[in-house]
Amino acid sequence: MKHVTHWIGGKPWTGEAERHGDIYDPATGQVTGAVDFASEAEVNAAVAAAAGALPAWRRTSLSKRSQVLFAFRELVRRHAGDLAELITAEHGKVASDAAGEVARGLEVVEFACGIPHLLKGGFSENVSTGVDSYSLRQPVGVVAGITPFNFPAMVPMWMFPIAIACGNTFVLKPSEKDPSASLLLARLWAEAGLPDGVFNVVHGDKAAVGALLAHPGIAAVSFVGSTPVARYVYQAGTGSGKRVQALGGAKNHMVVLPDADLDLAADAAVSAGFGSAGERCMAVSALVAVDPVGDQLVARIKDRTGKLTVGPGTDERSEMGPLVTRQHRDRVASYLDAGVEQGAVLAVDGRRHPVTGGDPGGFWLGPSVLDHVTPAMSCYTDEIFGPVLSVLRVPSYEAAVGLVNGSPYGNGVAIFTGDGGAARRFVSEAEIGMVGVNVPIPVPMAYYSFGGWKASLFGDTHVHGTEGVRFYTRGKVVTSRWPDRVPGTATVDLGFPVNS
Ligand code: NAD
């Protein structure tokens, strides 16, 4: 049984935790370890370590900071397989998916390696006679990151490489369900030469989150998780004077117009609906078929789901792993019965899908499709966060856009069509943060910013890319005059400064 603890001030915490959480292997349903839950005292210790490291780190030159980032990048690359193994062991996703997660996180580290360029300010000579002006961006201070179970390495890496590159120090509170990847990342930071205290990890549940949100020493909070918790984090964090970006849940639509290549669309719907067992905030969960393509599309999707191999993430044959916990699997499966009770047609029942090479105790649920779903049904209104694809049929493009824009969420959306004009109109009209055209999961590259609209993001800034740099820095503008000692250039003037 493994024991996972906090990482404070450059080393593992050595105290005795009052509370613990179980860590499961979702492919067997067995408990494989315990994670310490932080109380207010451990949170205070982590924030104190981060605050202690801040003055020296923010003074550290950009060259030195980027050297540490380059070293960290090499170490994460070298240990990508180890990270992926930890993710599969605790989250359950298949090995290739876990490796993909590490690769996407690494792209943010690579973006952050360019911090000297990203932090360049502006300079204007002679804004007034003999006066120059320049702008700069400075770190905000100690930053907290609170992250979800579904990307235990990538989502933290959306945050801390940029925050640290900008000169901040960081306290990460990862998901208690799969806490081990964050500790390996902490060790790799130390090996890369990051000074003790710049990166800290506290494990735990809402008690740890509450202590971080209330702590006066934390200047900014990045959160990713479900919408109710995102809303709470935003309100509590801003209420105590912090800068907050809180990314929430999603209900992502994929609109298929009648002129679309239906094989391409079916491949995309199956990949984006069931990849990572649907436990992605950018997963497609509502397929909107514009008449008359519904029947043909559902037939193609049924054909493809039947061929998917569901099994342990460690088995090379598996394309889809288990869900993260038994409770979550049961909740997801309950939407199948609820959908049928509310009038949907269960076109594919994932409860009957064979599990290849899997332990019967694992948290299995195969790919499922509910057809003839209407907007009032709970399988459409709720974020299910599992391998359940709801198919809605609409008569027109306008009705499809109405459905997309009527959703309270605004994370991702995709349109499948061969008509460039329709796609262009859709890109403009969709009230959604990330849009794909014949691309089902439009996750932006690290140098663009990731984030949704409406109930999918509380706050003004998206994560990573240049918006990430803005979030983790404060702007300052300097106006300077150096008297050149020529007699008569200095006078007393009580008027408001005007430029001449
Ligand atoms: P979650 O909201 O349950 O947990 C997220 C974090 O908040 C965890 O660290 C958890 O310990 C903590 N937390 C949970 N309940 C809390 C509470 N009551 N008070 C304070 N803190 C609490 O989310 P999850 O189940 O870990 O992750 C899945 C959710 O995350 C889905 O809704 C998914 O859409 C969302 N998500 C969103 C994005 C995005 O970019 N918008 C990305 C990934 C996941």
Side-chain angles (χ1 to χ4, degrees), residues 450-464:
F450 182 110
W453 291 11
K454 301 192 275 187
S456 295
L457 188 142
F458 302 90
D460 305 313
T461 8
H462 294 191
V463 290
H464 65 65

Side-chain angles (χ1 to χ4, degrees), residues 174-479:
S175 171
E176 63 277 34
K177 297 191 177 96
D178 40 20
S180 292
S182 58
L183 277 192
L184 177 51
L185 290 166
R187 289 181 197 283
L188 299 182
W189 269 126
E191 202 177 329
L194 191 74
D196 293 349
V198 177
F199 180 70
N200 308 274
V201 182
V202 288
H203 297 289
D205 58 1
K206 59 184 180 183
V209 173
L212 285 167
L213 294 174
H215 200 299
I218 301 240
V221 178
S222 297
F223 172 88
V224 176
S226 59
T227 287
V229 185
R231 187 181 281 116
Y232 150 71
V233 166
Y234 183 76
Q235 287 170 350
T238 53
S240 63
K242 302 180 195 332
R243 183 180 283 197
V244 182
Q245 54 180 185
L247 282 69
K251 193 81 191 178
N252 304 309
H253 297 67
M254 171 173 154
V255 175
V256 182
L257 296 188
D259 68 349
D261 176 331
L262 294 188
D263 284 311
L264 180 79
D267 285 343
V270 170
S271 309
F274 305 121
S276 202
E279 292 172 328
R280 288 181 184 143
C281 66
M282 290 291 275
V284 166
S285 53
L287 185 67
V288 184
V290 178
D291 289 342
V293 298
D295 286 346
Q296 292 178 61
L297 198 54
V298 171
R300 283 169 166 79
I301 289 171
K302 277 175 81 165
D303 181 47
R304 284 161 173 77
T305 53
K307 294 177 188 148
L308 291 180
T309 307
V310 175
T314 47
D315 187 327
E316 275 184 4
R317 294 170 295 177
S318 303
E319 293 167 278
M320 201 182 112
L323 274 77
V324 69
T325 60
R326 178 173 292 114
Q327 191 190 18
H328 185 55
R329 190 268 318 273
D330 294 346
R331 181 181 167 275
V332 172
S334 75
Y335 280 98
L336 302 179
D337 290 333
V340 172
E341 277 161 27
Q342 292 165 31
V345 174
L346 187 54
V348 180
D349 185 349
R351 292 169 297 196
R352 296 167 187 272
H353 199 98
V355 177
T356 306
D359 186 301
F363 309 139
W364 308 109
L365 180 65
S368 305
V369 180
L370 282 163
D371 196 5
H372 297 283
V373 169
T374 62
M377 295 178 186
S378 60
C379 61
Y380 178 70
T381 54
D382 297 0
E383 182 188 38
I384 299 177
F385 216 59
V388 179
L389 187 64
S390 297
V391 182
L392 297 94
R393 291 147 187 258
V394 295
S396 62
Y397 165 88
E398 285 73 18
V401 174
L403 208 51
V404 168
N405 288 349
S407 170
Y409 298 104
N411 215 39
V413 73
I415 187 164
F416 277 70
T417 178
D419 179 344
R424 188 170 179 277
R425 188 174 151 197
F426 184 78
V427 167
S428 172
E429 291 176 350
E431 292 168 12
I432 305 285
M434 294 168 283
V435 183
V437 176
N438 297 320
V439 172
I441 305 192
V443 175
M445 293 295 290
Y447 39 89
Y448 284 89
S449 299
F450 182 110
W453 291 11
K454 301 192 275 187
S456 295
L457 188 142
F458 302 90
D460 305 313
T461 8
H462 294 191
V463 290
H464 65 65
T466 48
E467 289 200 37
V469 175
R470 278 194 79 77
F471 183 76
Y472 294 123
T473 54
R474 285 184 294 192
K476 187 180 271 184
V477 179
V478 181
T479 305

